[in-house]
Amino acid sequence: MNQPATGCTTAEYGRVSVLFGAERGAYPYGNSLLVRGATASLVVDPSLSLVGAAPPADLVLVSHAHEDHIAGLGGYDVPVHVHQGDLEALRSRDVLVAGFGLPAEAAEELDRTMRDRFHVQGRPDATGFEDGAVFDLGGRTVTVVHLPGHTAGHSGFLIEPDGFLFVADIDLTSFGPYYGDVGSSLVDFEASMRRCREIDARWYGTSHQKGVIEGPAEFRRRLDAFTDVVEQRDATLLAFLGEPRTVEEIVEHRLVYRAHVEGPQVGPVERRRAEQHLDRLTRRGMVTEAEEGRFRAT
């Protein structure tokens, strides 16, 4: 590895340069890619670590419209592309903030954080792509792999001939899948994880602490553990529903965040996740509405 800029190290995987963010890419940082072809180059997800140190590129691809993936976008006056599902959130900070579904006062504070800490200004010039779109860099292609669930437009990128699949925030961390935004979907997230599992690559790059995993066998092992977190949340909820509970009681009990975690996002995120797990377990016949507004395990 070498050190091109403060807080950012880089490693080469074929002709794919992974620009590892500070603190191993842990939030608020993240990992970015620089991909060079014979005729053009592109950057994927310019992170906070690239602010003031953005490597030159002819275009930028954004895996999804979250602040930690676009903090360094201001360093690029080149075409910017994101999936259609996240296009409006990338074009407008107001839309991006609204997607977190926070109370008004908390949303105002988040908007200031987006502006002051993450340098998010919105990119009204951004354009949308769809699943399967191919960016030809000359002897090297980057193909969009739509992986919704985390956000509606969340996407990975398959880089050939290097055999590098960037899976973005299917990040394999012990926290597990995050599907707590207004536009998130647990059903879609699980389908996206199954899709990733079917793609053979030489390397699999993540946005955060786990970095790059070599080989499909090791990637699938870690992906299975990541996927199992969803089942663990189901089990936690079923145990709590040994007697009838309201959604508010489930939110207070918490499926995701530990008790010491505080912040305006906790309640809304826990509620959206609780509702998704209740819906899935009800459809499986494992939970029933015992009385109006109260649910219990069957």
Side-chain angles (χ1 to χ4, degrees):
M1 287 192 181
N2 53 67
Q3 188 97 14
T6 301
C8 188
T9 57
T10 177
E12 305 298 323
Y13 298 86
R15 292 297 301 275
V16 179
S17 299
V18 178
L19 311 176
F20 293 102
E23 300 177 13
R24 297 174 56 241
Y27 185 89
Y29 302 102
N31 302 324
S32 306
L33 304 183
L34 174 61
V35 186
R36 300 181 182 90
T39 58
S41 63
L42 63 76
V43 162
V44 174
D45 286 1
S47 73
L48 196 59
S49 293
L50 298 192
V51 173
D58 298 296
L59 67 153
V60 175
L61 303 184
V62 175
S63 66
H64 63 291
H66 274 168
E67 68 280 5
D68 50 324
H69 298 261
I70 59 175
L73 198 52
Y76 292 97
D77 185 19
V78 298
V80 176
H81 308 273
V82 70
H83 189 275
Q84 289 283 356
D86 280 15
L87 181 57
E88 293 309 313
L90 185 61
R91 285 177 169 176
S92 166
R93 192 173 71 223
D94 289 343
V95 176
L96 175 59
V97 171
F100 289 90
L102 300 180
E105 185 175 334
E108 291 176 6
E109 177 61 29
L110 178 60
D111 183 66
R112 288 191 290 271
T113 299
M114 293 281 187
R115 181 194 65 204
D116 298 339
R117 187 178 189 187
F118 290 96
H119 316 283
V120 177
Q121 297 298 325
R123 287 296 295 250
D125 59 315
T127 59
F129 53 61
E130 297 286 357
D131 182 48
V134 178
F135 295 87
D136 190 342
L137 306 179
R140 183 157 280 98
T141 59
V142 180
T143 302
V144 173
V145 182
H146 187 209
L147 301 171
H150 182 63
T151 68
H154 182 272
S155 297
F157 302 104
L158 180 61
I159 303 161
E160 297 286 12
D162 308 272
F164 191 106
L165 177 64
F166 184 66
V167 294
D169 271 2
I170 300 179
D171 58 19
L172 311 181
T173 58
S174 59
F175 182 81
Y178 179 91
Y179 38 90
D181 290 0
V182 172
S184 298
S185 166
L186 173 54
V187 172
D188 288 348
F189 208 129
E190 290 190 302
S192 293
M193 291 188 288
R194 290 192 295 270
R195 185 178 187 187
C196 283
R197 204 177 193 286
E198 296 170 355
I199 299 175
D200 287 332
R202 182 177 180 184
W203 295 292
Y204 300 81
T206 70
S207 289
H208 296 293
Q209 296 99 310
K210 299 304 177 182
V212 177
I213 294 88
E214 185 169 3
E218 178 62 14
F219 173 73
R220 288 167 184 153
R221 183 186 71 79
R222 296 193 188 199
L223 182 62
D224 287 346
F226 186 71
T227 304
D228 284 347
V229 174
V230 177
E231 299 294 336
Q232 294 164 19
R233 291 169 184 163
D234 277 345
T236 298
L237 179 55
L238 287 169
F240 187 61
L241 296 180
E243 59 184 79
R245 308 281 189 177
T246 65
V247 172
E248 285 302 326
E249 289 173 320
I250 297 170
V251 170
E252 291 177 8
H253 184 67
R254 299 194 180 189
L255 292 180
V256 180
Y257 291 110
R258 296 180 180 178
H260 71 275
V261 177
E262 298 180 354
Q265 84 284 0
V266 171
V269 168
E270 288 285 352
R271 174 177 291 278
R272 284 189 285 270
R273 294 201 192 185
E275 289 171 346
Q276 292 185 75
H277 280 269
L278 282 172
D279 178 67
R280 127 200 195 99
L281 292 172
T282 298
R283 285 187 285 104
R284 291 179 176 181
M286 301 173 74
V287 166
T288 187
E289 191 168 0
E291 53 191 84
E292 187 175 354
R294 290 183 176 271
F295 300 84
R296 72 172 302 159
T298 57

